[in-house]
Amino acid sequence: MYLGPVAFCSDKVVKPDGTPLMAGIEFTCFTDSEEAAVGATDSIPYSMQQKITALGGKFVGGADWGPTVCTSGKVITGQNPGSSTACAEAVIALMVA
């Protein structure tokens, strides 16, 4: 099962010093406007875009539906399904580096 950045979005997932795991790391995910465009705003438990920022992560968003990939150390995230190819290429690049 693919969970994406939501796996990091908890104040219970912390670094050894107690700060949220996503603090200081750049992430991307579906933007609030993409969630609204597919009618998901009322059916999701929270905005990933806002949760990332609330936990100290750095949200990096691109144009809606465009391919946006964020690499922050060994964490690679894609904004939406259109980012799949670029995200896979980023994973391969990290593996061969």
Side-chain angles (χ1 to χ4, degrees), residues 51-79:
K51 187 76 163 180
I52 287 169
T53 303
L55 291 171
K58 299 174 184 174
F59 177 75
V60 177
D64 284 2
W65 312 114
T68 300
V69 173
C70 185
T71 302
S72 187
K74 293 185 180 182
V75 176
I76 300 170
T77 51
Q79 180 172 316

Side-chain angles (χ1 to χ4, degrees), residues 2 8 11 17 28 30-32 34 37 46 68-69 77 88 96:
Y2 171 75
F8 297 94
D11 56 0
D17 67 2
T28 192
F30 245 39
T31 63
D32 286 348
E34 286 171 319
Y46 52 81
T68 300
V69 173
T77 51
V96 298

Side-chain angles (χ1 to χ4, degrees), residues 28-54:
T28 192
C29 64
F30 245 39
T31 63
D32 286 348
S33 56
E34 286 171 319
E35 295 285 10
V38 297
T41 304
D42 294 331
S43 63
I44 57 175
Y46 52 81
S47 157
M48 284 288 302
Q49 180 178 339
Q50 294 172 27
K51 187 76 163 180
I52 287 169
T53 303

